Amino acid sequence: MQETRLDTARIRAARRVIDPVFLDTPLYRCEALEPDLGCTVNIKLETANPVRSFKARGTEVVASLLADNASRAVVCASAGNLGQALAWSGRGRGLDVTVVASRFATRAKLDRIRALGAGLELVDGDHELARERAAAIARYDGVRLVEDSLDIETCEGAATIGLELVDTAPSFDTVLIALGGGALATGVGHVMKASAPEVEVICVQPLGAPAMTHSWRQRRVVTTDSTDTIADGVAGRRPIPAVLDDLLLVADDAVLVQEASIIAGMRVLLDHAGLVAEPSAALGIAAILEDRDRFAGQHVVTIVCGGNVDVGTYHQWVGAAPIHRS
């Protein structure tokens, strides 16, 4: 395999600094999903932890490095899950955490960031504007900027999920990974290509936020002017070149799914697996629902990567979701 920015030895070392509450998350075959999906489905559940997403695997690595620094202040931009994770990791290590987010972000995520003790600054725009503001704060105040997916710690923290898949899962054919900024996809993808190259790595993104998928397909950075998706956790417009370079080395395919399929995926996970998944976490199921023939008879692993939702909005989604059969 050509070399990515990631290093397998560092990924294994990351497990030693990540709080065990975020490690060895449930991985199980969910037979109740299989009649609807037409394939064997294993769930890797990354919501059963204090921040209800995989993001703390990366922020634990970041915070462990910052804990010994003279400057203990850190800032990040977040759609919500990274901010919660950094707030949690920073609180345990005495860091001064500031999170910049869109004021249109999921309310439950913003409330949780505040509850975890981080400073929260809201911008009147999308996640890309929040990234610009966080970078400006870091420059002006001379504090550490944590950039999700660009900072290798966020990718290698996420990659520990891949270690758990190859170390504990029975043989499987495909892993479906939500694609946003790319930390999860490049992290898990790196481990798959290094340790289980026969496994197909498929990244899944909403049709309404396709920048990274278009970039992967065209092998160059493609930006978009806007996004239109309920999957706020993956709604980026400007891919990071270094992350795209890694993704090109580890992803076998990148697919786009419709909003109706994302909602249907959330409903399937609720009805048949008893899981509350945020839209980004249902992307893998959505991909199967849209192309059952592709996955028929396969053994598939999907990473349910987050479960932070506004309850009222969530019920509106899953209460109205049609399940499309092909």
Side-chain angles (χ1 to χ4, degrees), residues 292-307:
R292 286 182 177 83
D293 289 344
R294 176 175 184 172
F295 299 101
Q298 288 195 24
H299 186 168
V300 177
V301 173
T302 185
I303 302 169
V304 177
C305 55

Side-chain angles (χ1 to χ4, degrees), residues 47-122:
T47 65
N49 62 57
V51 298
R52 286 192 273 182
S53 85
F54 77 96
K55 293 287 188 181
R57 291 178 183 257
T59 60
E60 283 287 279
V61 181
V62 171
S64 71
L65 297 174
L66 291 175
D68 295 329
N69 284 5
S71 172
R72 303 177 68 79
V74 59
V75 62
C76 76
S78 174
N81 284 347
L82 178 74
Q84 290 181 75
L86 188 60
W88 194 95
S89 297
R91 184 181 65 178
R93 293 171 174 83
L95 304 182
D96 178 12
V97 176
T98 299
V99 178
V100 184
S102 168
R103 68 176 63 257
F104 308 110
T106 300
R107 182 60 50 189
K109 295 179 180 181
L110 300 180
D111 289 345
R112 185 61 177 155
I113 290 168
R114 293 188 186 97
L116 287 166
L120 181 62
E121 180 174 325
L122 301 179

Side-chain angles (χ1 to χ4, degrees), residues 26-262:
L27 172 66
Y28 58 95
R29 179 180 175 183
C30 189
E31 293 184 54
L33 292 174
E34 294 170 9
D36 273 322
L37 301 182
C39 57
T40 300
V41 181
N42 274 49
I43 285 174
K44 181 62 168 166
L45 186 63
E46 291 295 309
T47 65
N49 62 57
V51 298
R52 286 192 273 182
S53 85
F54 77 96
K55 293 287 188 181
R57 291 178 183 257
T59 60
E60 283 287 279
V61 181
V62 171
S64 71
L65 297 174
L66 291 175
D68 295 329
N69 284 5
S71 172
R72 303 177 68 79
V74 59
V75 62
C76 76
S78 174
N81 284 347
L82 178 74
Q84 290 181 75
L86 188 60
W88 194 95
S89 297
R91 184 181 65 178
R93 293 171 174 83
L95 304 182
D96 178 12
V97 176
T98 299
V99 178
V100 184
S102 168
R103 68 176 63 257
F104 308 110
T106 300
R107 182 60 50 189
K109 295 179 180 181
L110 300 180
D111 289 345
R112 185 61 177 155
I113 290 168
R114 293 188 186 97
L116 287 166
L120 181 62
E121 180 174 325
L122 301 179
V123 298
D124 290 315
D126 65 5
H127 181 63
E128 300 302 341
L129 184 62
R131 283 174 62 183
E132 293 173 7
R133 176 57 183 157
I137 292 172
R139 287 195 302 269
Y140 298 150
D141 296 345
V143 302
R144 165 69 188 271
L145 173 65
V146 175
E147 294 190 79
D148 197 18
S149 303
L150 178 60
D151 286 2
I152 199 65
E153 297 91 350
T154 63
C155 303
E156 291 181 341
T160 60
I161 297 170
L163 290 182
E164 292 167 19
L165 291 178
V166 299
D167 288 348
T168 63
S171 176
F172 56 95
D173 302 305
T174 302
V175 58
L176 294 165
I177 310 173
L179 178 61
L184 183 62
T186 60
V188 174
H190 172 90
V191 174
M192 290 297 118
K193 293 308 165 192
S195 302
E198 72 282 0
V199 174
E200 187 177 25
V201 175
I202 301 178
C203 303
V204 190
Q205 200 164 38
L207 190 63
M212 187 62 102
T213 295
H214 287 330
S215 299
W216 181 85
R217 290 176 178 175
Q218 297 183 36
R219 304 189 68 84
R220 63 178 179 85
V221 170
V222 177
T223 62
T224 60
D225 294 330
S226 62
T227 60
D228 183 15
T229 180
I230 62 172
D232 60 316
V234 294
R237 296 188 289 111
R238 301 174 191 165
I240 299 168
V243 182
L244 175 60
D245 289 343
D246 289 339
L247 191 69
L248 289 169
L249 295 174
V250 302
D252 295 302
D253 200 2
V255 301
L256 298 171
V257 295
Q258 300 177 57
E259 295 297 290
S261 300
I262 299 171

